[in-house]
Amino acid sequence: MRKINVFDTTLRDGEQSPGVNLNSREKLAIAKQLERLGVDIIEAGFPASSRGDFLAVQEIARTIKNCSVTGLARSVKGDIDAAWEALKDGASPRIHIFIATSDIHLKHKLKMTREEVKEKAVEMVKYAKERFPIVQWSAEDACRTELPFLAEIVEKVIDAGASVINLPDTVGYLTPAEYGNIFKYMKEHVPNIGRVKLSAHCHDDLGMAVANSLSAIENGADQIECAINGIGERAGNAALEEIAVALHVRNDAHQADSSLNLHELKRTSDLVSKLTGMAVPRNKAIVGDNAFAHESGIHQDGFLKEKSTYEIISPELVGVTADALVLGKHSGRHAFKDRLNALGFQFDSEEINKFFTMFKELTEKKKEITDDDLISLILEEKVTDKKIGYEFLSLQVHYGTSQVPTATVSLKNQENEQLIQEAATGAGSVEAVYNTLGRCIDKNIELTDYRIQSNRKGEDALAQVFVRVTVNGKETSGRGIAQDVLEASAKAYLNAVNRQLVLDCNLDGLKRQTAVGS
Ligand code: KIV
Ligand code: ZN
């Protein structure tokens, strides 16, 4: 049985999903969960793209010990240098360099000839190899590249020092047979191909990403690049959980498997969905709420007689368990800490105290605290400890079917510690809250998306709100969790604004540094 390396790109390509905007604390939480899941490589970001990305990749590389951490770089020295600075302290630093190879990209985007692209690719792989022990090279839009040229450039970059070659279906265009054929072709036409691992990276524009990845494996790929819940640019990347379980359940067909800890799949999917605000469809394979639900009478009857009649994957395999009632009003600090540890979270005593106080406050409103509630609670974020943005203090809303909804909000401006209090009306309660927040905050804010969902079943479930807003023309997103939907709505809005203010502040810092350095 061949072992396939799992290269997770949730934090890079996944983070490129429209509307997704993770801060470094959230990225680290996801990276730690990916480590528990047992992925082989975490692509933590694109260090040269922003100061925030650089710092997040650096922190992840310094923290994660059981898998290799990588970062993306264009074929320019500055990107490679930034990646090295961010990754050099990691356990097994590797770089992921790319350049487009298809004629369509050469002509319209790069404005380079094939010869120039080949030279640049070789030069940059050599440059990266002087720093990184492992260099992965990607041919962007490999799938629309003429195969003889692709084989030629692949041969050259292997000679230059690349040890992993990735052949992405950047635009999700190919059929499984066509994609598999590219790997077969490389095996047959590139003389030094035996010196490298081949990697598959598929996008889901035609719904083929998982099938294409499996076809690549059947035709010789040793690594698959994928994202949790299939998030990613446009229609997304291949869903990690689907490939992993397909390999496990049908390793007889694929003659290959991964070394993932599959029991962690559901928890990883929940975490990514919560933090990104990208809801998982109920009918999504492996991790959707209905993935193990049997509805029709005939199916239920068969299933009760013998599970295998209608079940090919057991829910326990992927970590789907009945909701465990874990803690309540009388639970002590010790039980609380034990439960957090069991969920995979390790905190120092100061953080435990902080979360324990929040937990106790929650038990005043909610009798039964489930694992899901605990995760929501600890991930409820205060965007920053720095003196940036606004702290939510209180909210009051007056609503009646024959009254105009009115909201009163109190905030603290963290920069100057000033209390801000405002009131406003709206056509509905949420609009009244947002009109009031808009008055409190001296920015031009426009709401572009609003979504609400409960964190689990039951009337006392917590409300989770995701919003997308533009702050002075820049788009950002935020989330808020609370027992009450209006409080969750207010927190989500404020969270989005605070994120943008932190980004602006980081950017200003970077500009100042650059100005001082130049
Ligand atoms: O889809 C793609 O081609 C990519 C590359 C940067 C690897 O994400
Ligand atoms: Zn991609």
Side-chain angles (χ1 to χ4, degrees):
M1 191 72 61
R2 277 191 314 135
K3 148 115 169 43
I4 303 300
N5 276 351
V6 176
F7 175 116
D8 179 277
T9 187
T10 308
L11 295 173
R12 199 278 297 169
D13 222 332
E15 223 254 348
Q16 284 172 223
S17 304
V20 172
N21 158 6
L22 297 166
N23 64 29
S24 55
R25 184 167 158 265
E26 292 161 342
K27 287 181 183 172
L28 189 62
I30 292 176
K32 285 184 180 170
Q33 181 55 31
L34 291 171
E35 189 181 33
R36 280 191 285 273
L37 175 63
V39 305
D40 300 280
I41 299 130
I42 296 175
E43 186 166 43
F46 183 176
S49 67
S50 71
R51 175 92 182 136
D53 233 32
F54 176 89
L55 293 173
V57 174
Q58 188 174 57
E59 191 178 11
I60 291 169
R62 288 177 176 170
T63 310
I64 299 298
K65 294 287 165 259
N66 299 321
C67 37
S68 176
V69 177
T70 192
L72 187 69
R74 289 167 301 181
S75 291
V76 291
K77 288 185 178 169
D79 279 24
I80 297 170
D81 294 341
W84 176 241
E85 282 310 309
L87 293 162
K88 65 181 180 198
D89 299 329
S92 173
R94 66 170 72 202
I95 190 168
H96 179 191
I97 317 176
F98 74 99
I99 193 163
T101 51
S102 66
D103 285 342
I104 220 166
H105 277 238
L106 265 55
K107 179 168 172 215
H108 300 288
K109 187 180 85 173
L110 297 180
K111 306 202 185 313
M112 286 167 86
T113 63
R114 286 184 177 183
E115 224 27 64
E116 286 165 342
V117 164
K118 212 162 50 186
E119 262 173 43
K120 176 61 79 188
V122 166
E123 185 195 343
M124 289 303 115
V125 168
K126 284 187 176 156
Y127 185 76
K129 191 67 190 169
E130 287 164 17
R131 290 150 186 79
F132 287 88
I134 305 171
V135 174
Q136 165 167 329
W137 180 81
S138 280
E140 192 190 14
D141 207 19
C143 289
R144 292 187 298 171
T145 303
E146 261 182 30
L147 287 179
F149 174 60
L150 191 61
E152 203 182 317
I153 191 165
V154 164
E155 183 183 348
K156 294 275 184 280
V157 294
I158 296 174
D159 280 340
S163 37
V164 182
I165 299 291
N166 182 35
L167 304 171
D169 186 5
T170 303
V171 290
Y173 181 69
L174 294 193
T175 64
E178 287 166 341
Y179 192 55
N181 183 51
I182 296 184
F183 287 78
K184 191 161 173 275
Y185 187 96
M186 293 301 135
K187 291 261 177 200
E188 285 166 0
H189 292 83
V190 178
N192 53 6
I193 202 77
R195 303 208 318 241
V196 295
K197 282 193 188 304
L198 283 180
S199 180
H201 176 117
C202 299
H203 282 268
D204 210 29
D205 300 67
L206 293 172
M208 297 288 171
V210 169
N212 283 355
S213 305
L214 293 170
S215 171
I217 290 172
E218 279 165 25
N219 286 282
D222 313 280
Q223 173 175 297
I224 41 127
E225 304 195 3
C226 40
I228 300 293
N229 300 336
I231 64 170
E233 189 79 43
R234 304 182 311 280
N237 286 68
L240 180 147
E241 62 281 1
E242 294 181 21
I243 301 180
V245 175
L247 282 180
H248 179 81
V249 172
R250 295 306 316 276
N251 59 31
D252 58 329
H254 304 294
Q255 289 300 307
D257 207 345
S258 74
S259 57
L260 291 180
N261 176 6
L262 300 180
H263 303 298
E264 293 290 336
L265 281 175
K266 177 66 174 149
R267 186 183 299 167
T268 316
S269 159
D270 285 349
L271 181 71
V272 169
S273 168
K274 272 198 176 74
L275 292 181
T276 57
M278 304 266 296
V280 172
R282 296 185 79 81
N283 64 336
K284 163 89 175 56
I286 317 298
V287 290
D289 282 350
N290 290 355
F292 302 100
H294 302 276
E295 184 66 23
S296 90
I298 295 172
H299 284 214
Q300 284 177 353
D301 180 53
F303 178 78
L304 289 173
K305 287 177 177 146
E306 165 54 44
K307 282 187 180 179
S308 61
T309 50
Y310 288 104
E311 187 176 273
I312 59 156
I313 314 158
S314 80
E316 292 77 26
L317 174 75
V318 299
V320 173
T321 47
D323 234 2
L325 196 170
V326 284
L327 299 173
K329 198 175 178 150
H330 301 294
S331 307
R333 189 182 309 264
H334 198 80
F336 176 73
K337 188 173 168 213
D338 277 358
R339 197 62 217 152
L340 288 186
N341 288 349
L343 288 171
F345 295 100
Q346 251 99 34
F347 294 111
D348 61 29
S349 52
E350 199 182 317
E351 282 172 314
I352 291 284
N353 288 346
K354 186 179 78 185
F355 291 131
F356 188 64
T357 309
M358 288 162 71
F359 161 73
K360 281 290 174 188
E361 280 167 13
L362 186 60
T363 62
E364 294 299 318
K365 301 182 199 157
K366 195 170 187 296
K367 234 169 57 203
E368 302 169 347
I369 309 292
T370 63
D371 286 353
D372 222 18
D373 294 331
L374 279 183
I375 294 172
S376 301
L377 182 91
I378 64 167
L379 294 175
E380 196 208 351
E381 62 142 19
K382 313 274 176 276
V383 168
T384 168
D385 295 332
K386 292 179 218 155
K387 295 203 164 300
I388 305 167
Y390 300 84
E391 185 186 343
F392 173 80
L393 298 179
S394 68
L395 166 70
Q396 222 182 11
V397 180
H398 288 286
Y399 170 79
T401 46
S402 51
Q403 283 173 351
V404 178
T406 312
T408 310
V409 173
S410 305
L411 303 180
K412 186 165 91 185
N413 181 331
Q414 306 207 111
E415 215 173 314
N416 56 20
E417 304 263 309
Q418 255 175 18
L419 183 71
I420 308 169
Q421 234 172 2
E422 284 288 351
T425 58
S429 303
V430 174
E431 195 188 337
V433 171
Y434 286 175
N435 286 345
T436 313
L437 284 167
R439 281 194 180 182
C440 294
I441 300 165
D442 180 26
K443 306 271 174 242
N444 188 358
I445 306 169
E446 204 185 318
L447 181 73
T448 54
D449 194 13
Y450 173 91
R451 271 176 293 136
I452 183 161
Q453 65 184 78
S454 66
N455 76 329
R456 55 184 284 274
K457 297 185 195 109
E459 282 160 15
D460 66 349
L462 300 181
Q464 302 187 124
V465 172
F466 303 97
V467 295
R468 219 185 290 177
V469 296
T470 53
V471 183
N472 290 345
K474 291 180 208 142
E475 186 164 64
T476 182
S477 60
R479 69 194 154 78
I481 297 166
Q483 183 102 50
D484 180 83
V485 295
L486 295 175
E487 186 180 333
S489 303
K491 286 180 169 171
Y493 187 95
L494 214 52
N495 178 250
V497 172
N498 282 344
R499 277 169 196 260
Q500 191 53 48
L501 297 181
V502 171
L503 278 180
D504 288 348
C505 175
N506 285 341
L507 207 62
D508 284 352
L510 187 66
K511 278 186 198 146
R512 273 197 301 279
Q513 276 175 24
T514 322
V516 171
S518 60

